Structures are given as structure tokens and as C-alpha cells.
Amino acid sequence: MSTLSTTGRVALVTGGSGGIGHAVVERLAADGYALAVHYAGNQAAADAVVATIIAAGGQAIAVGGDVADEVAMADAFAQTEKAFGGIDVVINTAGIMILSPVATLNLDDLDRMHRTNIRGTFVVSQLAANRVRAGGAIINFSTSVTKLALPGYAAYAASKGAVDAISLVLAKELRGKDITVNAVAPGPTATPLFLDGKDAETIERMATMNPIERLGTPEDIAEAVAFLAGPARWVNGQTIYVNGGMV
């Protein structure tokens, strides 16, 4: 049995300067990838991540842009290719979450989530479909809430249901190109995106919804991403639920 070497491979990680994206960057850097660490607004955070990778002997650059802006993201892809010679893996962790019951959701918030979570995923996936090298992988980010159907999550879950559809259809459209496409669907994970605005009781209740009885960590999610990015060449067109057995 042969295994795919990750040394010398190149990955572009959107939202790579914080949260789950940062953990993904750190894991892939440890696996020998050259990294393009994408940021939307906080260049200083991305630059700090890049500096850490370089100090440890790795290769990394920071690239910026709104994931929903096809011109900005095309430039980010071009910068990555110029720096490292090509792109093997694209991981789209960038996303926003705004919680509200359907009856009271501000429709401007709905549009914001659609722009980042749906259009952003489509833009990044479209660019990746045309630029990732053979033997590569495209990994988008969904959510376990699409199955849990928790109150307050309707708009967010709807946007991530679209991510599932984009990812699984694209996997079939890339027939013959030797590029896998999958979606990762985390459960409750201890990041600012999840923790902000929740009281201790809510966090504790959600932490014990899975049989392992804890929140996920960004490193838990990064482990699954690393598997899909490298050795998991026979996993394709799937949504992988990484949530401790919650669903």
C-alpha cells in the first residue's frame, strides 16, 4: 500500500489566521505543507501565523481578500501559485454565524451569511476547481447543525446546507481530474465563533450532547481536515461529521 507524501504540497486555507482555520494551518505546516494563510480583515494575525511557521522552518505567506469577491480571491490564488509553484489543497474554513429564530431574524443578517457562507464557498470552490493540481483536494466547511436542527440556527444551517450541495456536486463534476471534494461538518467547537454570546449553561449543555461529553477543539477538526487533504484519496463527495458522535 502506498501513502501520499505531504512534503512539498501547497495548501491555501481561507480564514487561516484564527479559530479552526489557524489549527488547520498549524497541522498542515507540521505535515510539511507550504501554506497560504488567508485573512479577510486582520492582516496582523495572518502575518503572525506566517512568522511562526517560518520560524519553525516551514514555508508560508499571507494572502487577503473577501472570499465572496472573485477578483480578490483570484489574486490570492495567483499569489499562492507565484510563491510556491502551484496549489494542491484548498480548505475553505471562512464563514460567519448569526443566530436568531426565523420569526425575528434580521434579513440583512441573512444576506450577510449568504454572501460569505454560500457565495464565498462557491467563489473559492470555482477557483479551486480550475487551479488545484491533480492529486489534490478541496475541503469546504459545513456544520452538524444541518442535522441537529437546533432552534435559532435555521439561517446558518440553511447556508451550510448549500455548502454540502456545492461540495458534493463539484466532486462529481471533477470526474477524471483526480481531485477530491469533501465537506467537514464540525459539531460545537471551542472557538470564538461558537462561544461568543452563549452563557455557561448553554455551553455546558451543548458540550454534553455527544457521548464523549466535551466540546470539540480546533485541533480535533484539523485532524479530520489533514486526513482529507492528504491520505484520504478514496474519500470523495462526502460530508464528514466531526462532532464526537452527536448525530
Side-chain angles (χ1 to χ4, degrees):
M1 180 181 294
S2 63
T3 58
L4 177 68
S5 172
T6 55
T7 302
R9 281 165 72 84
V10 178
L12 167 60
V13 183
T14 72
S17 61
I20 290 172
H22 185 188
V24 168
V25 165
E26 289 184 329
R27 173 56 196 269
L28 295 186
D31 286 348
Y33 286 79
L35 272 304
V37 181
H38 165 269
Y39 64 92
N42 192 344
Q43 182 175 352
D47 287 343
V49 173
V50 167
T52 299
I53 293 171
I54 293 173
Q59 301 180 76
I61 62 169
V63 295
D66 175 2
V67 290
D69 182 336
E70 65 273 26
V71 175
M73 291 310 298
D75 185 59
F77 273 72
Q79 289 180 56
T80 305
E81 291 167 333
K82 181 177 180 180
F84 302 123
I87 302 174
D88 300 290
V89 179
V90 172
I91 302 159
N92 188 35
T93 76
I96 61 173
M97 179 171 66
I98 302 170
L99 304 183
S100 171
V102 171
T104 56
L105 177 68
N106 184 310
L107 294 181
D108 288 340
D109 289 338
L110 178 68
D111 291 341
R112 285 177 57 205
M113 278 193 288
H114 277 205
R115 175 174 171 78
T116 298
N117 297 354
I118 300 178
R119 181 185 170 91
T121 296
F122 203 99
V123 165
V124 172
S125 295
Q126 185 178 72
L127 288 163
N130 287 290
R131 302 176 86 147
V132 167
R133 296 185 287 206
I138 302 168
I139 303 165
N140 289 318
F141 263 67
S142 180
T143 176
S144 291
V145 176
T146 55
K147 287 191 173 183
L148 291 172
L150 297 175
Y153 284 81
Y156 179 68
S159 73
K160 291 300 189 175
V163 171
D164 289 344
I166 293 166
S167 305
L168 307 191
V169 171
L170 180 58
K172 294 184 177 181
E173 291 178 346
L174 294 183
R175 172 184 291 273
K177 293 191 174 182
D178 191 22
I179 298 169
T180 62
V181 187
N182 294 286
V184 171
T189 305
T191 66
L193 181 69
F194 170 77
L195 297 172
D196 285 354
K198 294 183 176 68
D199 58 35
E201 181 181 354
T202 299
I203 293 170
E204 177 63 21
R205 174 174 53 81
M206 296 186 75
T208 57
M209 288 175 69
N210 68 75
I212 301 177
E213 297 188 328
R214 66 170 176 84
L215 292 177
T217 67
E219 291 73 23
D220 290 325
I221 313 306
E223 184 78 19
V225 171
F227 175 64
L228 295 172
R233 300 306 303 161
W234 201 234
V235 181
N236 190 25
Q238 305 298 315
T239 298
I240 309 297
Y241 290 87
V242 188
N243 57 30
M246 183 176 291
V247 293

